[in-house]
Structure formats: structure tokens, C-alpha cells
Amino acid sequence: MPGVEDGVGLTALMVAAARAIETHRPDALAGDTYAEHFVRTARVSATWPVRPEEVTGGDANPLWGRLGRYFGLRTRVLDDSLTRSAHAGARQVVLLGAGLDTRAFRLGWPPGLVVYEIDRDGVLKFKQHVLDGLAAVPAATRRPIAVDLRDDWAHALLSRGFDPAVPTAWLAEGLLLYLPPAAERRLIDTVDHLSAEGSTLFFEVKLGPESPEVRAGPIYAATRRQIGVDLPALFDREPRPDSVGHLRDRGWSVTVHTPFDFARRHGRGPLPEPNDALSSNRWMFADKSGTSL
Ligand code: SAM
């Protein structure tokens, strides 16, 4: 059973470690006190850093410095975006490829909101084990759903009480990079199909394949060397579908941002560099009410 300690599941631990480090920065963009417990519990990550002072080379470390800050920034921006959607009327949040996301526990949700967390069984079992050990109490109704997003996940979601008639805030954070184009197309279609007016969707993509120079750059090299995760080998290499165009054709309004836009806005986070692993990342904010976010 694919779990959190292998393949793409391991990327969930990598993001959790970055969130743990971010949480302890004096100028933290986001706080997640659960993150370090996931990292310390899994055997494979037990010796990874969870605090800034444990990072060799500090902010100059390409993995836990620059890429880590990228994850911290992404966490903050999506914390804000989801909270906004929920207070604007979304009654359900669906975390697609939820990994070790603890937003159901750590954000302030309006009464009655339901958070669905979709990921593979092994990842969700590990997550539950750690959260149970901490006696963590969710701040919303939380429904984890173990299903592969390449399969019929809509059926699984509907069978757990998801209501397509009320507005939903959907999140695909750090997910589509790993999915084949057909699965991305199906996912976007399904989200559209299950979205009432007033729903929102965030998703992150990479624009096309990266050059050999980018693949050999400092972030990917450090990730391979320090934690044995070969990100370019995990990314799907097939040409990406035009999900933005597809959503616009179906009446969604979509704004496209670089992560650097938000780094500038917050005065913290990564800025562009030559041969940059972050330069082809785009953050998409889509809204079914037709108003730009
Ligand atoms: N969204 C979380 C976050 O940002 O912290 C996790 C991101 S992690 C980089 C990617 C997650 O996507 C992993 O938890 C992995 O198990 C999940 N994932 C990847 N492919 C999947 C699939 N086909 N079905 C379900 N989950 C998948």
C-alpha cells in the first residue's frame, strides 16, 4: 500500500517539515504546530530539521531555506484564501491530495463547515495515527477519504455526504504536478461538475517540462542529496492540459499568479533566480461566481 514513507507520499513529509520550520521562524508566514510531529514520527524523516536552527546552512540551504520558504508562503496564501472562501459562503472544503495538511484543525471555520481530505489510504492512516497520539480536535467536521485521485473519487466523495448543491472551496495544493494529464482533466471536470455557484478552486501547476539546466539546479540537487527525493522524477512529464482555458470555457473566472507575486506582497518568500525550479510554478485562483479573486 503506498504510504507516506515512499514515492510521492514522501513529498507530504517534505512539505510538513518545511511548515514545521516556517512555524518556528521569527517572521513566520504560517503556523502549523502539528507538522513537526508528522516529521518526527515517520522513520524516514525522523532526523530531518523541524526548526530553523537545525537547518545546515540556514536560509542558504536550497531545500529547507528557499524551497521551504516557498511552502511556507504557499501555506499562508492558501490559509488566507480558504478562510476567505469559507467566510464568503463556502460550506465545504475539499483538500485534494491533502497529505499532512492540518487546516481542519488549525484554521477558524464558520459553524457547520465540513472539510473533506482526499489522499491515499497509507498517507491518511499515518496522519490519523499521529493526530490521535496528539488528541487533536478538529475545528470543523472532518471527513478523510482514502481514494486514488486517478480513480472514481467523485463517487467516494458523494458517498461521504458531500453536497454538490452548496458552495465548496476546493484545493489542489502541490498535487497536479504529479498527476497524468488525463487525471488532471478528469479532476477539473469533476470539480466543475460538483461545484455550485459561489465555489472556488485553487490549483498549482508547472508550465510544461523544465530544462536540463533547471533540473540540475540547486533546489532539486539539494532535495535529492539531503532527503533522497528526486522531484523531477516524480513530476509527470507529459504535456499539461489547459485547465485554465477549460475552466474559463465553463464560466469560471481564473486569475493566474506566480509565487513571486505573493513573496513581494508579503515581503518574505522566494524571488526569481536564474535556472529556477520555482519559475514555472503558477498558482491559479478560480471562482465559479464569475468574479475575479
Ligand atoms: N496538499 C498537501 C500539502 O500541500 O501539504 C500535500 C502535498 S504532497 C506534495 C502531494 C500529496 O498528493 C501527497 O500526500 C500524495 O499522497 C498525494 N497524491 C499524489 N498523487 C495522488 C493520487 N493519485 N491520489 C491521491 N493522492 C495523491
Side-chain angles (χ1 to χ4, degrees):
M1 173 177 58
V4 79
E5 303 230 14
D6 47 49
V8 74
L10 197 49
T11 62
L13 280 171
M14 176 182 72
V15 182
R19 277 200 288 264
I21 294 167
E22 184 69 36
T23 301
H24 294 292
R25 285 175 180 276
D27 61 347
L29 283 155
D32 180 351
T33 54
Y34 303 97
E36 64 186 80
H37 297 278
F38 297 123
V39 179
R40 284 286 169 264
T41 302
R43 239 173 325 145
V44 70
S45 56
T47 60
W48 295 2
V50 290
R51 289 172 179 262
E53 58 273 21
E54 295 167 3
V55 175
T56 311
D59 277 353
N61 185 310
L63 166 57
W64 302 120
R66 192 154 182 274
L67 182 61
R69 203 88 227 244
Y70 173 83
F71 293 132
L73 177 68
R74 192 177 73 184
T75 302
R76 165 61 177 276
V77 169
L78 298 182
D79 283 0
D80 291 348
S81 166
L82 282 179
T83 310
R84 222 173 14 246
S85 293
H87 288 283
R91 310 298 308 127
Q92 314 173 106
V93 171
V94 182
L95 307 174
L96 299 158
L100 305 174
D101 181 322
T102 56
R103 290 190 174 95
F105 296 82
R106 54 181 192 80
L107 298 185
W109 299 110
L113 187 124
V114 185
V115 178
Y116 295 91
E117 298 183 1
I118 299 184
D119 209 299
R120 289 187 284 211
D121 194 39
V123 172
L124 291 178
K125 280 211 172 92
F126 168 80
K127 181 177 188 175
Q128 198 58 51
H129 164 72
V130 175
L131 290 169
D132 287 347
L134 297 169
V137 180
T141 301
R142 172 176 175 257
R143 297 187 183 143
I145 303 178
V147 64
D148 193 304
L149 285 161
R150 292 167 298 186
D151 300 337
D152 179 11
W153 57 270
H155 178 77
L157 183 61
L158 289 162
S159 70
R160 290 294 304 279
F162 175 88
D163 183 355
V166 301
T168 300
W170 302 86
L171 192 66
E173 180 184 18
L175 171 71
L176 298 181
L177 297 65
Y178 305 99
L179 290 189
E184 176 171 334
R185 270 192 294 270
R186 266 200 314 277
L187 181 143
I188 296 288
D189 271 347
T190 306
V191 166
D192 176 49
H193 194 65
L194 296 179
S195 287
E197 194 81 356
S199 296
T200 58
L201 163 67
F202 168 89
F203 61 106
E204 177 184 31
V205 300
K206 272 194 180 289
L207 306 172
E210 294 174 310
S211 68
E213 291 75 22
V214 171
R215 289 207 303 274
I219 283 187
Y220 294 142
T223 307
R224 266 191 300 268
R225 197 176 53 247
Q226 294 180 46
I227 59 172
V229 173
D230 187 355
L231 285 171
L234 292 173
F235 295 149
D236 191 274
R237 296 275 190 94
E238 290 180 68
R240 304 317 301 169
D242 178 15
S243 295
V244 170
H246 198 63
L247 283 163
R248 285 182 177 147
D249 287 347
R250 282 150 191 258
W252 291 67
S253 154
V254 188
T255 55
V256 179
H257 287 278
T258 69
F260 309 125
D261 297 339
F262 290 96
R264 292 188 187 101
R265 193 177 293 177
H266 285 281
R268 283 159 284 168
L271 293 170
E273 285 185 357
N275 292 326
D276 190 354
L278 303 178
S279 67
S280 62
N281 289 34
R282 292 291 179 278
W283 292 357
M284 318 298 198
F285 297 82
D287 180 348
K288 205 170 184 174
S289 64
T291 334
S292 295
L293 297 175

